[in-house]
Amino acid sequence: MSPAPEHASSGPFSSGEVLALIGSGAAATRADISRLTGLARSTVSQRVDALIAHGFIDEDNANGGSTGGRPPRRLQLRTREHAVAGVDLGASHCRVALMDIGGDLLAVREDPLSIADGPAAVLGHVERALHGLLGESGRDPGTLKSIGVGVPGPVEFSTGRPVDPPIMPGWHQYPIPEFFADRFGARALVDNDVNVMALAEQRRAFPETGYLLYIKVGTGIGCGIVADGRLHRGAQGSAGDIGHIRVADDEQPCRCGNFGCLEAVASGAAIAARLSGLGLEAASGQDVVGLVKSGNRDAVRMVREAGRAVGEVLAGLVNFFNPDTVVLGGALAAVHDQLLAGVREAVYRRSHPLATHVLRIEPSRTGQNAAAVGAGILAIEHALSPEQVDRVLAGSTP
C-alpha cells in the first residue's frame, strides 16, 4: 500500500468523520462532503486521499448524478481488505459470523459447545473456527479489523470481562479482549448476548425505531435496551437484567439465591422443569417449543402463563421507558403466538394508554444469527468510528 498523504486530524470534520458520512450513505462524492461539512475543496481532498491511501474507501468513475460535464467520481467503502467477526457464545452453542466492513455476511458457522467448558477450551474453538471462516472466504487474517463477542452473562463493557456470570464457571474477570488481541492483533469488544441481539434487531429489522426493548426468553431472561438509537448499558454494564425482578406472590427458588424471580418462573428452563415434573420429556426450552408445536396442552398453557409473567414485568418497563417497539427473541420466541398472547394481554392491561399508544410488540425478525450478527455490527461500528479511523490514519495501534 502506498504511503498516506499527511493526515490533519485537527479542526472540524476529521477524516474519520468524513468516512462516517460516506459509510452512512449521506455523502457519495467529494462535492457532497464539501456541501455537508462546509470544508474547502482542498481539505476535502486531503481527507479523502488519506482514506483512499489507507484502503478505507474506493473512488470510481460511475455516474454520481452529474447534470453536465465530467461526472463526479463516487466514493464507497472498500470492503475487501476490511473484515470483522461476530461471535455468539451461548450456554450450549458457539456461532461465529464473518462479515465485511459494509455489513454483508460472508460466512457463518455454528457448533455445539458448552460454555461451562471454560474460556481456554471455548475461545480456542472460536479461534480455530474463525481461521476456518477466513480461509473459506479467501480472506487473510490481517484483514480482520475488529471482533465482537456476545456472552450469556454480565459483562463490564469497558474492560470486556465477564463479572460473576452464573452459567459461565471459570470465566469471572477472564480477559477475553486480550485473548483475541494476542492471536489476531484486532480489538475485541465483549458484551452481554442480549445487548448485541438488541443491536442487530434495531439496526437490521427496525432501523426507524429509536427506542427499543429486546426481551430474550430462553434458558434465562434478559433485556437489551436501545435508547435514541444507542445501546444503553447502565453505569457498569448491567442494565436490562430483568430476569431477577421479583414476580408478585411467587416463591419459586432462583439460581441467583433469591425467590420468585421472573427467570425462575417464566424462562424456558423453568417451564421445562415443570413439564418434566408432569412426566413429560422436557430438559430445555427447545423441548418446550417441541411440545407446544406438537399441541401439548400443558406446554401451551405454561408458555402463555410465562408470557403473562413476562408481560407483568414488561408493563412496568413500558411505563418507565416508553419504547415504541418491543421485540421478543430467544428459544421460546419460536412459539411466539402463545408467548406474545400472554405478553400483550398483560402489557396492554397494566400500562398507561399514552405509553402504549404507538407501541408494537413483535417477534424477532433477525432469527438464529441475531447475536452473531449483532456482535459483528458492534465490531463494525467500532472499526468505523471516527475516533478509531483517525487513530489508524495517525499510525496508532487499533
Side-chain angles (χ1 to χ4, degrees), residues 121-274:
V122 171
L123 296 180
H125 178 91
V126 172
E127 180 185 2
R128 293 187 295 274
L130 191 45
H131 276 295
L133 292 178
L134 285 164
E136 176 185 324
S137 302
R139 307 272 170 148
D140 186 271
T143 64
L144 194 63
K145 304 304 180 184
S146 185
I147 301 167
V149 184
V151 301
V155 175
E156 184 180 49
F157 183 72
S158 61
T159 65
R161 299 189 176 197
V163 180
D164 293 320
I167 64 170
M168 299 173 65
W171 289 81
H172 174 62
Q173 290 294 341
Y174 189 85
I176 299 174
E178 288 82 350
F179 176 94
F180 289 105
D182 290 345
R183 289 156 178 80
F184 292 96
R187 170 78 184 275
L189 299 96
V190 186
D191 209 339
N192 179 264
D193 58 359
V194 74
N195 282 346
V196 294
M197 289 175 178
L199 187 64
E201 203 74 36
Q202 193 273 334
R203 297 291 193 268
R204 292 293 176 92
F206 299 97
E208 77 289 354
T209 292
Y211 295 85
L212 177 144
L213 297 178
Y214 182 97
I215 312 297
K216 177 192 175 187
V217 187
T219 302
I221 297 177
C223 175
I225 305 165
V226 175
D228 197 23
R230 299 184 179 186
L231 275 176
H232 173 72
R233 299 181 176 91
Q236 300 297 325
S238 66
D241 190 9
I242 67 170
H244 300 288
I245 293 176
R246 181 178 175 83
V247 179
D249 302 324
D250 198 295
E251 295 299 326
Q252 192 72 22
C254 182
R255 58 181 172 154
C256 72
N258 289 314
F259 296 86
C261 294
L262 178 64
E263 185 174 298
V265 173
S267 68
I271 298 171
R274 290 200 295 276

Side-chain angles (χ1 to χ4, degrees), residues 15-344:
S15 294
E17 291 169 312
V18 168
L19 181 62
L21 292 174
I22 298 168
S24 69
T29 66
R30 296 181 187 232
D32 288 342
I33 296 169
S34 184
R35 174 176 52 82
L36 290 169
T37 65
L39 294 174
R41 290 178 60 185
S42 60
T43 306
V44 170
S45 291
Q46 182 189 47
R47 303 284 195 263
V48 170
D49 290 346
L51 293 170
I52 292 173
H54 280 78
F56 280 106
I57 60 173
D58 285 322
E59 189 172 29
D60 63 34
N61 290 311
N63 191 296
S66 174
T67 56
R70 180 185 299 175
R73 302 174 71 186
R74 294 185 64 85
L75 304 166
Q76 58 189 4
L77 288 176
R78 188 173 186 176
T79 59
R80 181 68 195 174
E81 286 81 13
H82 300 274
V84 302
V87 180
D88 166 23
L89 297 178
S92 58
H93 75 268
C94 167
R95 187 178 289 110
V96 182
L98 186 66
M99 303 165 66
D100 68 29
I101 207 74
D104 288 338
L105 189 63
L106 303 174
V108 64
R109 170 177 169 177
E110 179 179 1
D111 298 300
L113 190 69
S114 174
I115 197 76
D117 288 343
V122 171
L123 296 180
H125 178 91
V126 172
E127 180 185 2
R128 293 187 295 274
L130 191 45
H131 276 295
L133 292 178
L134 285 164
E136 176 185 324
S137 302
R139 307 272 170 148
D140 186 271
T143 64
L144 194 63
K145 304 304 180 184
S146 185
I147 301 167
V149 184
V151 301
V155 175
E156 184 180 49
F157 183 72
S158 61
T159 65
R161 299 189 176 197
V163 180
D164 293 320
I167 64 170
M168 299 173 65
W171 289 81
H172 174 62
Q173 290 294 341
Y174 189 85
I176 299 174
E178 288 82 350
F179 176 94
F180 289 105
D182 290 345
R183 289 156 178 80
F184 292 96
R187 170 78 184 275
L189 299 96
V190 186
D191 209 339
N192 179 264
D193 58 359
V194 74
N195 282 346
V196 294
M197 289 175 178
L199 187 64
E201 203 74 36
Q202 193 273 334
R203 297 291 193 268
R204 292 293 176 92
F206 299 97
E208 77 289 354
T209 292
Y211 295 85
L212 177 144
L213 297 178
Y214 182 97
I215 312 297
K216 177 192 175 187
V217 187
T219 302
I221 297 177
C223 175
I225 305 165
V226 175
D228 197 23
R230 299 184 179 186
L231 275 176
H232 173 72
R233 299 181 176 91
Q236 300 297 325
S238 66
D241 190 9
I242 67 170
H244 300 288
I245 293 176
R246 181 178 175 83
V247 179
D249 302 324
D250 198 295
E251 295 299 326
Q252 192 72 22
C254 182
R255 58 181 172 154
C256 72
N258 289 314
F259 296 86
C261 294
L262 178 64
E263 185 174 298
V265 173
S267 68
I271 298 171
R274 290 200 295 276
L275 290 170
S276 181
L278 297 177
L280 296 169
E281 291 188 9
S284 68
Q286 294 293 345
D287 295 331
V288 174
V289 169
L291 287 169
V292 170
K293 288 184 174 179
S294 70
N296 182 274
R297 292 184 178 182
D298 290 314
V300 170
R301 173 178 54 82
M302 289 185 187
V303 167
R304 183 153 187 157
E305 289 173 352
R308 292 192 192 101
V310 171
E312 291 288 332
V313 170
L314 185 54
L317 302 181
V318 167
N319 284 331
F320 175 77
F321 182 63
N322 189 204
D324 50 24
T325 304
V326 172
V327 178
L328 265 69
L332 291 194
V335 287
H336 55 76
D337 287 345
Q338 292 80 8
L339 188 67
L340 278 172
V343 168
R344 286 171 173 153

